[in-house]
Amino acid sequence: MTTEQERSKYEQIWGIREYRNFSPGETLLASFLTITNPKKGSTIVDYGTGCGRVNLEFVAKGFQVKLFDIASNCLDELVKEKLGHLFTEGCL
């Protein structure tokens, strides 16, 4: 599969509102912080950020964030409004 095919696939998926209802990152936030124990102010890079909601929680807890995803339309509107300037579109 080419990068463009992969991007197109995910942009189509993120166009489906129901797809946004479940974010694995949100369910793993507490475990991630317990396991990694990052220092306040550390930068957390979210590769495959998806809807990005978990990053609002990281910021609220005192962390810096960078968001990275292949799909330009993945971010929820509130995340885009507050953190969109930290988003980079690309392919790993």
Side-chain angles (χ1 to χ4, degrees), residues 44-50 66-69 92:
I44 297 172
V45 182
D46 185 359
Y47 293 104
T49 196
K66 302 264 185 208
L67 294 72
F68 187 93
D69 202 284
L92 292 176

Side-chain angles (χ1 to χ4, degrees), residues 1-16 19 69-74 89-91:
M1 182 171 284
T2 68
T3 300
E4 278 310 310
Q5 289 170 322
E6 190 76 359
R7 178 175 289 113
S8 176
K9 174 180 77 175
Y10 277 100
E11 286 180 346
Q12 288 176 10
I13 289 170
W14 284 113
I16 301 169
Y19 187 75
D69 202 284
I70 195 168
S72 63
N73 63 334
C74 62
E89 179 186 337
C91 180

Side-chain angles (χ1 to χ4, degrees), residues 3-84:
T3 300
E4 278 310 310
Q5 289 170 322
E6 190 76 359
R7 178 175 289 113
S8 176
K9 174 180 77 175
Y10 277 100
E11 286 180 346
Q12 288 176 10
I13 289 170
W14 284 113
I16 301 169
R17 186 173 25 193
E18 294 79 16
Y19 187 75
R20 298 175 180 279
N21 292 340
F22 176 73
S23 172
E26 289 174 311
T27 64
L28 299 172
L29 174 66
S31 295
F32 172 82
L33 293 176
T34 298
I35 292 167
T36 61
N37 194 28
K39 294 178 184 176
K40 299 288 185 206
S42 295
T43 299
I44 297 172
V45 182
D46 185 359
Y47 293 104
T49 196
C51 64
R53 291 187 299 259
V54 73
N55 292 287
L56 295 172
E57 301 217 24
F58 282 135
V59 169
K61 293 182 181 299
F63 300 104
Q64 304 294 314
V65 295
K66 302 264 185 208
L67 294 72
F68 187 93
D69 202 284
I70 195 168
S72 63
N73 63 334
C74 62
L75 298 179
D76 278 3
E77 285 303 315
L78 180 61
V79 177
K80 189 175 183 178
E81 175 186 318
K82 299 203 178 273
L83 303 176

